[in-house]
Amino acid sequence: MSLPRLLQPLSLVLCVLLAACGSNSIAPQVPPVAVAPIVQPKVPKPVKIGLALGGGAARGFAHIGVIKALEAQGIVPDIVVGTSAGSVVGALYAAGNNGFALQKIALQMDEAAISDWSVPFFAKVSGVLKGEAIQNYVNKTIRNVPIEKLKIPFGAVATDLNSGAPILFRRGNTGVAVRASSAVPGVFQSVNIGGHLYVDGGLVSPVPVRFAHEMGADFVIAVNISASPEAQAASSSVDVLLQTFAIMGQSINSYELKDADIVIRPDLGAMKGNDFAARNTAILAGEQAAMAQMAAIKKKLKEKREE
């Protein structure tokens, strides 16, 4: 037998022995590697900001200062609702005029352009001012854009004179809705819309917080410009009417403002509702009041987005 054939069995035995040794060998122990769990970053939820602008006649210029301060901090409302003077500023703002543009409009405003006296002693009218002038002024300033086509969703609050029910105008002629919302009984004539007579929304909602919520706002910033009755010295029949309005609205305000996330109260002192000469002072008071609340606004907004 040749040598190669003799070596074949030995090679086979050697392979078997090596295989057996390999099967009994101990594999090196590899320590487990800890894998950190994947944490998805929490995405802040979108929050719709509502701006509820209250009534107060010429004191409403303070709304412009509030808007300027909010915009300066990058806070732009998704919804705007206004009552009376708040509806005037709100409509102009919703049409696309920013805070600085609103200030320019306010400073250029001629009081005579929004005053159209009626003759109540010789005609069957319900107020000393017709209100058509404010209607035309608003429509001209916003180029006759109807409410539903304004750049920011907008609502104007008025009161149905017959039923006492509130109405939120969200469609139709913007100037007419603002006129109805601003028709202080005894000062302005009531407004006939679709066979219904409407007067100032301050009778039912001086600062329209609940209507901001109804329009879809998750976070409502309310601006209360109503006068404190004790700070107002009534020296004319118009002053008496405006002060009566302020007194009537106090209890409604205290109830409705509870549902606001933030309430801004510009310090307007004894400024009267017919004091158009103090418009600059009112705008500044609005800015100062908003800035004083800015830390709280940002904190509460952050908390709302993280809920």
Side-chain angles (χ1 to χ4, degrees):
M1 183 181 295
S2 64
L3 183 59
R5 291 177 64 88
L6 286 173
L7 292 176
Q8 283 179 359
L10 290 175
S11 299
L12 181 60
V13 171
L14 183 60
C15 288
V16 172
L17 289 174
L18 290 173
C21 290
S23 63
N24 291 330
S25 63
I26 300 174
Q29 295 297 313
V30 179
V33 178
V35 179
I38 299 174
V39 179
Q40 295 292 342
K42 191 172 182 179
V43 180
K45 72 175 185 180
V47 173
K48 281 192 174 183
I49 301 172
L51 184 61
L53 304 177
R59 294 164 68 92
F61 287 111
H63 291 316
I64 296 172
V66 171
I67 290 168
K68 284 181 63 183
L70 291 174
E71 287 184 335
Q73 298 296 314
I75 299 171
V76 179
D78 303 286
I79 293 164
V80 179
V81 191
T83 292
S84 198
S87 74
V88 178
V89 176
L92 300 181
Y93 183 42
N97 296 292
N98 64 20
F100 286 99
L102 289 174
Q103 181 169 340
K104 183 178 179 181
I105 290 170
L107 297 180
Q108 292 176 344
M109 178 188 289
D110 180 4
E111 187 180 351
I114 59 171
S115 302
D116 47 0
W117 297 94
S118 64
V119 191
F121 297 107
F122 300 99
K124 190 179 179 181
V125 295
S126 56
V128 296
L129 293 171
K130 296 176 184 178
E132 292 175 357
I134 187 71
Q135 170 186 323
N136 294 334
Y137 176 82
V138 169
N139 280 335
K140 180 180 178 181
T141 305
I142 66 170
R143 294 184 171 86
N144 294 304
V145 176
I147 296 174
E148 66 273 17
K149 291 189 177 179
L150 294 173
K151 294 183 178 180
I152 302 175
F154 170 70
V157 181
T159 305
D160 187 313
L161 186 59
N162 295 322
S163 68
I167 178 74
L168 179 67
F169 289 107
R170 295 192 59 188
R171 299 183 62 82
N173 188 301
T174 306
V176 173
V178 168
R179 176 186 175 188
S181 179
S182 307
V184 179
V187 178
F188 287 93
Q189 295 176 14
S190 54
V191 183
N192 191 324
I193 303 174
H196 290 260
L197 291 177
Y198 294 100
V199 292
D200 198 291
L203 286 169
V204 289
S205 186
V207 184
V209 174
R210 62 180 167 131
F211 289 105
H213 282 299
E214 283 185 15
M215 286 180 66
D218 307 303
F219 186 91
V220 177
I221 300 171
V223 187
N224 181 15
I225 57 167
S226 61
S228 174
E230 62 270 16
Q232 298 288 299
S235 57
S236 69
S237 57
V238 173
D239 287 340
V240 171
L241 285 167
L242 293 174
Q243 185 159 336
T244 302
F245 224 59
I247 294 169
M248 291 171 59
Q250 277 189 314
S251 58
I252 303 173
N253 252 356
S254 61
Y255 173 77
E256 190 160 7
L257 289 174
K258 291 178 182 177
D259 291 329
D261 295 275
I262 292 288
V263 179
I264 298 174
R265 294 180 172 87
D267 183 6
L268 297 168
M271 179 183 174
K272 294 182 179 181
N274 58 358
D275 188 1
F276 279 77
R279 65 189 80 180
N280 245 333
T281 303
I283 293 171
L284 180 59
E287 285 189 68
Q288 292 172 338
M291 288 308 299
Q293 291 270 45
M294 200 58 67
I297 293 171
K298 290 182 177 181
K299 180 176 180 290
K300 288 190 175 184
L301 261 177
K302 184 173 181 291
E303 291 170 351
K304 195 76 174 179
R305 287 171 174 145
E306 292 175 350
E307 285 181 357

